[in-house]
Every structure is written in structure tokens, then in C-alpha cells.
Amino acid sequence: MKSDPRSPRRKALVFLLILMAAKLVLQLFLNSRAGLHRDEYLYLAFADHVDWGYVSVPPMIGVFSWIIRNVFTDSPFWVRFFPVLASLATMGLAGWIVLELGGGTVAMLLSG
């Protein structure tokens, strides 16, 4: 049995993808406007002292900082690029959970 392309679930999924695309476009255009925040400097400093974690930050932050600093540059764009991807994944997962729990477009908008 084929699903109707105009089904409410499909419309909500398309709406979620549009929300995610809008977030990505805004982040990519606006994330280099300001300089780095002091916490971002701290995370980049962890790249010089790679460890599995410190008391104040999650595990692997030093490894991710090392990858950003040595594979890419430590410009504001690249420092904020991977957190943007993580936030998009979180947004997509939250929207998918809302769909699975029976929420509609409004519930997905609120979760996104």
C-alpha cells in the first residue's frame, strides 16, 4: 500500500526539513559576524592538552577541538560549524520524536 504524498505526516516532515534548512542557512551566514567567545577560546585551548574530559566540559571536547584546529582552521566559521551540525541533528531528532508521538506541525514547530 502506497502512502499518500499529501498525508499530514509527510507535510510535517517537509516542514521539519524546511525549519532545519532555514536554521542551517541562518547559521552559515551569521556565525562569522562576531568574534570568538571566551568559552570558544577555552575549548580551542583544550586542543593543546588533549584529554578524555575535564570537570567543566564533556568528554572528547579536546579531541574535537584538536580536529577543528589541525584539520580546519580556528576561524569562527569552522569553530562553530560542527556545533551547528550537532544542533541540526538534535532538531531533527526532536522533530522525529514529536512525529512518532503523534504531534503535528504546531508541536514540531514548538520543539524545533
Side-chain angles (χ1 to χ4, degrees):
M1 195 181 227
K2 290 186 177 181
S3 64
D4 183 20
R6 295 169 295 193
S7 70
R9 183 177 171 89
R10 183 171 284 248
K11 286 181 183 179
L13 190 59
V14 168
F15 183 71
L16 174 65
L17 292 174
I18 290 171
L19 278 176
M20 290 173 65
K23 179 180 176 56
L24 178 65
V25 167
L26 281 173
Q27 291 286 338
L28 290 180
F29 284 122
L30 298 177
N31 75 357
S32 297
R33 299 275 175 156
L36 294 175
H37 189 266
R38 68 179 181 171
D39 287 342
E40 292 167 330
Y41 283 118
L42 174 67
Y43 299 151
L44 286 175
F46 287 149
D48 298 330
H49 312 284
V50 177
D51 200 354
W52 286 107
Y54 295 94
V55 174
S56 61
V57 295
M60 298 286 293
I61 193 76
V63 174
F64 290 136
S65 297
W66 186 89
I67 291 170
I68 289 171
R69 181 175 260 183
N70 291 313
V71 175
F72 306 101
T73 62
D74 54 356
S75 69
F77 178 82
W78 287 112
V79 169
R80 296 177 182 144
F81 180 73
F82 294 103
V84 167
L85 292 181
S87 70
L88 285 173
T90 303
M91 187 177 183
L93 181 63
W96 180 70
I97 290 172
V98 166
L99 276 179
E100 289 297 316
L101 291 175
T105 307
V106 176
M108 191 178 309
L109 177 67
L110 290 174
S111 73

